[in-house]
């Protein structure tokens, strides 16, 4: 009989032969020996095919909230399976998406009353962009000239072409440039590398003054502003002061421009509040949700909007005002059942309340990393933390990208039993909410040790 090691070898071999992993330089992946092949999950832990346990330090790419194999969500999905796995939302309905819509409207920022389902973060954004565009054509009176979008530099909204057009991460998006539609770009609030060279905030960028004027100057051609509120995750956990978001909201209101908040990463408690917009007391016109919506169980997304926008799509079919957009698995009942159970847990466990001391603990522990000579900045909000590695703190010199420092630190952390995935040289810590304070302490310590191990090794190599 095949033993665990033999099975790992066999699976790795098939993987190398047939799989193409997302966002993965495949030559580098093929060199991983052995690759991490996850077979099971248990609470905050991933368990590989040989039975090794890893703390899931990035919540399986920011989706898992209450842990793996959470009984209530398992049961909800099983129960739903006992009825039906899927039926279409085109021309018919289903109880789970109906009930979930009411629950989402109940927790969303005020004014968002309509729920349009799709499958992933990118598709939630894609629907939002098309909705905003078509709204401007069909509102009374129509404003067809308001057809453009404004987004932030270093923004990330997913990998479909509309979302990539709005995205601003050169490494990911540059190659597709000829396929994209042009988007107006506002400067992001990356204070560590302040675009204005300001020594300390607020400069006109992070105070929101610059984007405020930018929106108003272009309001006549803007359908919408699309931003990740409070934290730009994929950019490396870049945080905005709440004032920034408020100024964006004010400019959109003054300029009659829709505000689309992409809370795919920040939604469902990640920043310590149910939605990041709450930190600034702001309601967007369109809200994009995915990732944590099912507690990390199944792909499901929702684009929420207001009655005002929805009303622009009303009318007899022959008027052509319908939103012709959708997917085969839109509103999938299994995903919606998981999402309902996820929201039940938030209520039953008082998840947000119980998360607060853990957030405080995480940030207390992270203080220790600030003292390491290879850490330029530790930033984030709530249970979203980024640790930016730097070769020379004083000269503010990054590591050369070919050193792959972030990746090497992640591999060193894995040896210690911590699974993390960096964004370039920014280490990301986003554990599931079910981690204990002891596990938080251990996790941050493991990261510190991994940084030291790799950075000292790198320094030695330079010396050689
Ligand atoms: C803010 C934001 N929007 C959209 C997406 C895309 O989500 P998905 O990978 O589910 O398409 C992500 C993914 O990280 C994200 O962080």
């Amino acid at each position: 009989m095949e033993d665990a090691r033999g099975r790992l070898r066999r699976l790795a071999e098939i993987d190398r032969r047939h799989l193409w992993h997302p966002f993965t330089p495949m030559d580098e992946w093929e060199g991983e020996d052995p690759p991490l092949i996850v077979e099971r999950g248990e609470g905050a832990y991933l368990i590989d095919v040989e039975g090794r346990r890893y703390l899931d330090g990035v919540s399986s790419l920011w989706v898992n909230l209450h842990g793996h194999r959470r009984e209530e969500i398992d049961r909800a999905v099983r129960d739903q399976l006992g009825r039906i796995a899927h039926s279409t939302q085109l021309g018919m309905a289903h109880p789970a998406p109906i009930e979930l819509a009411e629950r989402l409207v109940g927790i969303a920022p005020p004014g968002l009353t309509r729920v349009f389902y799709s499958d992933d973060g990118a598709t939630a954004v894609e629907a939002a962009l098309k909705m905003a565009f078509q709204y401007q054509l069909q509102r009374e009176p129509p404003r067809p000239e308001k057809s453009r979008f404004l987004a932030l530099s270093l923004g990330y909204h997913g990998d479909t072409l509309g979302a990539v057009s709005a995205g601003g991460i050169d490494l990911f998006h540059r190659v597709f440039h000829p396929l994209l539609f042009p988007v107006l770009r506002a400067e992001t609030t990356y204070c560590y590398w302040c675009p204005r060279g300001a020594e300390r905030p607020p400069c006109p960028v992070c105070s929101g003054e610059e984007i405020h004027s930018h929106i108003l100057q272009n309001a006549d051609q803007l359908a919408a502003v699309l931003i990740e509120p409070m934290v730009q995750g994929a950019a490396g956990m870049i945080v905005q002061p709440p004032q920034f978001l408020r100024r964006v909201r004010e400019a959109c209101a003054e300029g009659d421009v829709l505000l689309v908040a992409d809370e795919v990463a920040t939604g469902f408690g990640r920043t310590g509040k149910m939605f990041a917009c709450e930190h600034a007391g702001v309601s967007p016109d369109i809200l994009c949700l995915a990732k944590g919506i099912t507690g990390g169980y199944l792909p499901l997304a929702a684009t929420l909007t207001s009655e005002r926008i929805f009303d622009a799509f009303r009318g007899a079919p022959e008027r052509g005002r319908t939103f012709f957009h959708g997917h085969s698995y839109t509103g999938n009942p299994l995903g919606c059942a998981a999402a309902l159970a996820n929201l039940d847990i938030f209520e039953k466990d008082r998840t947000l309340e119980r998360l607060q001391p853990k957030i405080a603990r995480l940030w207390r522990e992270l203080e220790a990393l600030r003292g390491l000579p290879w850490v330029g900045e530790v930033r984030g909000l709530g249970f979203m933390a980024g640790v930016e590695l730097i070769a020379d703190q004083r000269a503010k010199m990054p590591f050369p990208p070919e050193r792959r420092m972030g990746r090497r630190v992640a591999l060193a952390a894995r040896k210690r039993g911590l699974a993390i995935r960096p964004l370039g040289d920014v280490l990301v810590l986003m554990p599931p909410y079910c981690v204990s304070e002891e596990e938080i302490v251990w996790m941050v310590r493991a990261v510190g040790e991994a940084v030291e191990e790799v950075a000292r090794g790198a320094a030695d190599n330079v010396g050689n």
Side-chain angles (χ1 to χ4, degrees), residues 292-347:
I293 191 170
T294 59
Y297 267 61
L298 285 157
L300 180 75
T303 305
L304 276 67
T305 193
S306 63
E307 285 310 291
R308 173 172 66 105
I309 293 175
F310 177 75
D311 281 346
F313 293 77
R314 288 184 185 277
E318 58 274 18
R319 289 185 67 196
R321 290 161 73 88
T322 304
F323 188 42
F324 285 111
H325 183 94
H327 302 277
S328 308
Y329 284 97
T330 287
N332 173 255
L334 291 172
C336 291
L340 284 164
N342 172 37
L343 294 181
D344 286 344
I345 295 172
F346 268 97
E347 284 178 16

Side-chain angles (χ1 to χ4, degrees), residues 61-62 119-123 125 156-159 228 231 233-234 262-266 290-291:
L61 217 65
W62 318 357
D119 317 317
D120 276 290
T123 56
V125 170
Y156 180 75
H157 302 283
D159 298 325
E228 295 157 82
V231 186
D262 175 355
E263 293 234 25
V264 167
T266 52
K291 287 195 186 279

Side-chain angles (χ1 to χ4, degrees), residues 69 75 163 233 264 268 336 390 423:
R69 298 299 318 280
R75 195 177 334 116
V264 167
F268 299 98
C336 291
I390 190 132
L423 293 155

Side-chain angles (χ1 to χ4, degrees), residues 112-426:
L112 300 166
T113 51
R114 291 281 165 179
V115 179
F116 186 93
Y117 289 113
S118 61
D119 317 317
D120 276 290
T123 56
V125 170
E126 211 68 39
L129 294 174
K130 288 172 75 176
M131 214 178 257
F133 176 83
Q134 194 174 340
Y135 164 76
Q136 302 292 359
L137 295 175
Q138 296 179 184
R139 60 188 291 189
E140 288 300 336
R143 298 288 306 272
E145 73 285 6
K146 288 169 79 68
S147 60
R148 303 191 66 191
F149 296 92
L150 183 143
L152 290 181
S153 59
L154 298 180
Y156 180 75
H157 302 283
D159 298 325
T160 51
L161 286 178
V164 171
S165 296
I169 300 185
D170 234 30
L171 176 68
F172 304 162
H173 300 151
R174 190 180 39 224
V175 66
F176 300 111
H177 199 258
L179 300 179
L180 309 178
F181 57 79
V183 162
L184 298 178
R185 198 65 66 190
E187 197 75 66
T188 178
T189 57
Y190 202 170
C191 290
Y192 185 64
W193 300 103
C194 177
R196 295 289 169 276
E199 285 298 315
R200 62 181 64 220
C203 78
V205 174
C206 66
S207 69
E209 292 318 310
E210 193 167 287
I211 190 168
H212 185 273
S213 343
H214 202 0
I215 294 169
L216 287 179
Q217 276 158 18
N218 294 286
D220 282 349
Q221 47 169 330
L222 282 177
V225 171
L226 167 64
I227 66 168
E228 295 157 82
M230 296 304 293
V231 186
Q232 284 184 272
M237 305 298 146
I238 298 175
V239 184
Q240 299 152 8
Q243 167 73 2
F244 179 85
L245 189 51
R246 279 195 286 272
R247 292 301 276 158
V248 171
R249 176 67 278 182
E250 284 161 13
C252 287
E254 274 175 58
D256 187 16
V257 174
L258 299 179
L259 173 59
V260 181
D262 175 355
E263 293 234 25
V264 167
T266 52
F268 299 98
R270 254 307 143 193
T271 65
K273 294 189 186 288
M274 189 53 101
F275 298 109
C277 284
E278 295 171 28
H279 289 276
V282 153
S283 269
D285 301 292
I286 302 180
L287 175 69
C288 304
L289 303 175
K291 287 195 186 279
I293 191 170
T294 59
Y297 267 61
L298 285 157
L300 180 75
T303 305
L304 276 67
T305 193
S306 63
E307 285 310 291
R308 173 172 66 105
I309 293 175
F310 177 75
D311 281 346
F313 293 77
R314 288 184 185 277
E318 58 274 18
R319 289 185 67 196
R321 290 161 73 88
T322 304
F323 188 42
F324 285 111
H325 183 94
H327 302 277
S328 308
Y329 284 97
T330 287
N332 173 255
L334 291 172
C336 291
L340 284 164
N342 172 37
L343 294 181
D344 286 344
I345 295 172
F346 268 97
E347 284 178 16
K348 181 169 69 83
D349 284 6
R350 293 178 290 114
T351 302
L352 288 176
E353 198 182 315
R354 287 171 59 186
L355 190 58
Q356 305 310 316
K358 296 183 189 181
I359 291 173
R361 187 64 189 251
L362 174 65
W363 289 97
R364 274 206 308 281
E365 294 303 317
L366 285 169
E367 277 303 313
L369 297 187
R370 291 186 212 269
L372 292 176
W374 311 280
V375 170
E377 192 175 50
V378 181
R379 56 178 176 261
L381 185 66
F383 247 30
M384 285 180 101
V387 178
E388 180 156 351
L389 301 174
I390 190 132
D392 185 333
Q393 258 181 354
R394 218 168 287 158
K396 250 197 181 179
M397 192 146 62
F399 283 105
E402 60 275 15
R403 281 276 178 83
R404 307 287 284 152
M405 287 303 284
R407 174 171 186 272
R408 286 163 64 196
V409 171
L411 290 175
R414 190 193 296 173
K415 280 194 305 187
R416 291 166 168 81
L418 171 64
I420 52 174
R421 179 172 168 91
L423 293 155
D425 282 350
V426 179

